[in-house]
Amino acid sequence: MAARYYDPTLPMSEADSDAALPAIDADALITELRNIIPGDGVVVEREGLTPFECDGLMLYKALPLVAVMPRSKAEVQAVVKCCARHRVPVVARGSGTGICGGAMPHPEGVLLDLAKLDSIVAIDPLARTATLQPGVTNLRISQTAAKHGLYYAPDPSSQIACSIGGNVAENAGGVHCLKYGLTVNNLLSLEMLTADGELVRLGSDGLDNPGYDMMALITGSEGLLGVVTEVTVRLLPTPPCARVLLAGFPSVRAAGDAVGDIIADGIVPAGLEMMDKLAITAAEDFAQAGYPRDAEALLLCEVDGTEEEVASHTERVSALLNKAGATSVRVSDSEAERALLWKGRKSAFPAVGRLAPDYYCMDGTIPRSRISEVLEEINDRATAYGLSVANVFHAGDGNLHPLILYNAGDPDSVAKAEKLGSDILSLSVRVGGAITGEHGVGIEKLAHMAEQFGEAELRQMEEIKAAFDPALILNPGKGVPILKRCQEYRALPGKHNHG
Amino acid sequence: MGDISTQLAHTVAEAYRARTPLKIRGGGSKADVLGRDVEGTPLDIAEHSGVIDYNPAELVLTARAGTPIAEINKLLGEQGQQLPPETPALAGKATLGGSLACNHSGPARPWQGSLRDMVLGTRLINGRGEQLRFGGQVMKNVAGYDVSRMQAGALGTLAVITELSLKVLPRPETTKTLAYSLSAHDALDVMRQRATEPRPLNAACWFEGTLYLRLSGAKAAVESTAQLWGGDSVEQPPWQAIADGELPCLNQAGSLYRLSVPTGSALAPSDSVLIDWGGAQRWVYDQPEIVAAAVSERGHAWLYRGGDRKNETAPPLTRTQRQLHTALKNAMDPEGILNPGRLYSWL
Ligand SMILES: Cc1cc2nc3c(=O)[nH]c(=O)nc-3n(C[C@H](O)[C@H](O)[C@H](O)COP(=O)(O)OP(=O)(O)OC[C@H]3O[C@@H](n4cnc5c(N)ncnc54)[C@H](O)[C@@H]3O)c2cc1C
């Protein structure tokens, strides 16, 4: 018999029918939490809880039983131990910029806000490392390291706000990950609380890991295996020189082919991003960066390194872009111009957001060689649903971000947007890719995990979850589907449900 | 050369039912290093060999676990590409699966990453004999737990690796090695300082009184840096010999310890026969006490070769780390049949 997987769209009563946990003694729990965190760090009133009801993906909402805002590692540890004793779900939250519903609260659980743990513990310039509390924002790491001529390479577009703890939990990527790797490639060690509140260090400050590489397992595990309390990252010397090339193309296909040509030529650019016509227009209206409005697609290619290296690579990339049929190629001549050219890209999400009441950002990855084919198919499907899609994405690593424009106030538009989103995920899997490249599964893509993985893989992952968290209290109902028969924990609410 | 994964899975499933331990063997290149001696029915992976897919423009290679690193290096070399970690080929004996299981890397590792960093996807056989696939051939994939990368350094105690997809990279346009006569202490200082500079450094080691720095990248950048840094240009650099463990200083009698420590560690610079990885990897003989000392420096030490290989050879773990190891082992290999005792006596 085929297994039934947990379906987040199931009505609550049905999903709830197997619930085996005892009812929570909420009063006792809250009293204990108040003893751990004195002052106003424990919130139970509706107004205080509302800011936590969702992450950056507003399609899914729930209010937690209680939200806590600890100020120290000791408090976090005491909270997790308390939740373990009560067998209450704990959902960790960094900055809440996730866009897969990962930090959405559990209606019968504790929302553990880690934003107040925001100290930079240490920077060691000679060892090129930074040790951080989980709530430190991504951008602050590079800003603080800058005085030593160093920076932290992974740079999600949300870097002003997102936390390093959230970056670890999602294995966040960014424009510069093509050359410098994702979060997982830039970590040295983590300190984590296990589901029963024990502190454990994973990885080491050397380069290799003693025993099993649990740091890799924790990275991208979406708060399901532990609560990260400290992160040591690797810093890199800031390249003395960087230039960005902007190229307009008469078709998406020509731009897609140029991506392959650059990589095949032996150059690994620091960033290689693509935008389609709708995104170009929106970004240009917003940022006035001088993007070619007549182009069907554009590429932004950054090369960095020493002066000589950048000069040589700029020349090579320029020639390749022209050869691939670029209608215009512009090379940044100053830091100001480079910043301007990136401004259009970095503000593309909000810029596209101005075109419609709402947008829904997808995150599939595909083999680079299939970019144009897949974009065409996405467009065809969007047209069939009567929707528009803007594309702005990490072309160098084949990580698409189709932005589906819709109207959240119109149930029909919402349904169509979700259907198109789902089609895009299936399409990514079909061409040999993945349902998520950097945003994570969360609650949003849970149902699609069964497309990406077979039953044996899902069961294996479930066993790994149980190895770390036998009582299933850490962010239950997200990331990895739990086979229905094992679904001990309380169910999550359906969509748009305010707990 | 061919696909024997079904047969391998069948053998593991049989062993699972009968609860008989298996001893997984690739090319046998690392049989007497890193892990403990184990007993078990041999499960040979070497025959499960061959490159399945290689698309230079995608920078992705997929090969069966028994494929020799040497064969992969040759194929990549023909397209001007390489395995970024300079994975040791060990006289043609090292296989892809074994290299990931040991997470074995060459001198470029601090700058170009380890095999673990290059992993895009794996096919595995767990301890129940089930064939599993995690990750894939795309550059980014955060769906589900990263079970693939977790195999790095597990010495085959979690699963039999049968296939790997890896990110590969273009070879640098130029490389150049510079040498300096220095004491170990001074060499460490220079390595650490140089590594903070935005220059195309991609290997730094010291042995027998000489510091070697390797530059690699665009020709102009390499040349200008070489001019700036001075030193003697080396025609026959030691990198290959280091990667393959062939330096005489790594082949003396005695117990050889491998330290993985922060580059600023004060542990054993002057006792080290080789300092590699810009100071992060050090090799010493006959210093059992260094195992505990490394832990207090937030690093670790292995009894790499020699010594009592019935006793523990891997770095000690804390109680909680041990609990998680045991739980994870049970999750993937519930009967404990895959290389039992190879990583730790109790695992
Ligand atoms: C405009 C915009 C642009 C974005 N661009 C990118 C991009 O370029 N690349 C990219 O990768 N992502 C991007 N994102 C997604 C998001 O910013 C990242 O996933 C980020 O890593 C989330 O960090 P956070 O602190 O906001 O985490 P949250 O949203 O608070 O949490 C994310 C997940 O991590 C868990 N978690 C948080 N902290 C911890 C902890 N300390 N221990 C254990 N689990 C924890 C949560 O439970 C949740 O499952 C973007 C988002 C937006 C809104």
Side-chain angles (χ1 to χ4, degrees), chain A residues 13 128 151 183 268 282 306 355-358 373-374 428 464:
Chain A
S13 53
R128 287 186 290 117
Y151 77 113
T183 302
V268 180
T306 60
L355 300 180
D358 301 280
E373 167 198 342
V374 168
S428 303
I464 291 171

Side-chain angles (χ1 to χ4, degrees), chain A residues 55 91-99 102-103 114 134 155-158 162-163 165-167 169-170 172-174 222-223 226-228 349 359 394 438-439 475:
Chain A
D55 64 5
V91 179
R93 179 181 171 107
S95 306
T97 69
I99 37 183
L114 294 160
D155 55 345
S157 309
S158 50
C162 66
S163 72
N167 289 173
E170 299 290 11
E222 306 191 7
V227 175
V228 175
F349 284 17
Y359 70 89
H394 312 301
E438 55 181 24
H439 294 165
N475 210 1

Side-chain angles (χ1 to χ4, degrees), chain A residues 208 213 368-369 457 463, chain B residues 58 116 128 133 258 321:
Chain A
D208 284 343
D213 197 338
R368 259 186 301 257
S369 57
E457 285 84 4
E463 274 154 7
Chain B
E58 293 275 346
R116 168 256 200 210
R128 276 184 293 261
R133 177 168 186 252
R258 170 186 173 281
Q321 286 170 336

Side-chain angles (χ1 to χ4, degrees), chain A residues 24 50 99 159-160 173 179 296 301 320 326-327 334 368 374 431:
Chain A
I24 294 166
T50 311
I99 37 183
Q159 68 182 153
I160 301 176
K179 183 166 176 182
E296 286 298 317
C301 178
L320 286 165
T327 44
S334 63
R368 259 186 301 257
V374 168
V431 299

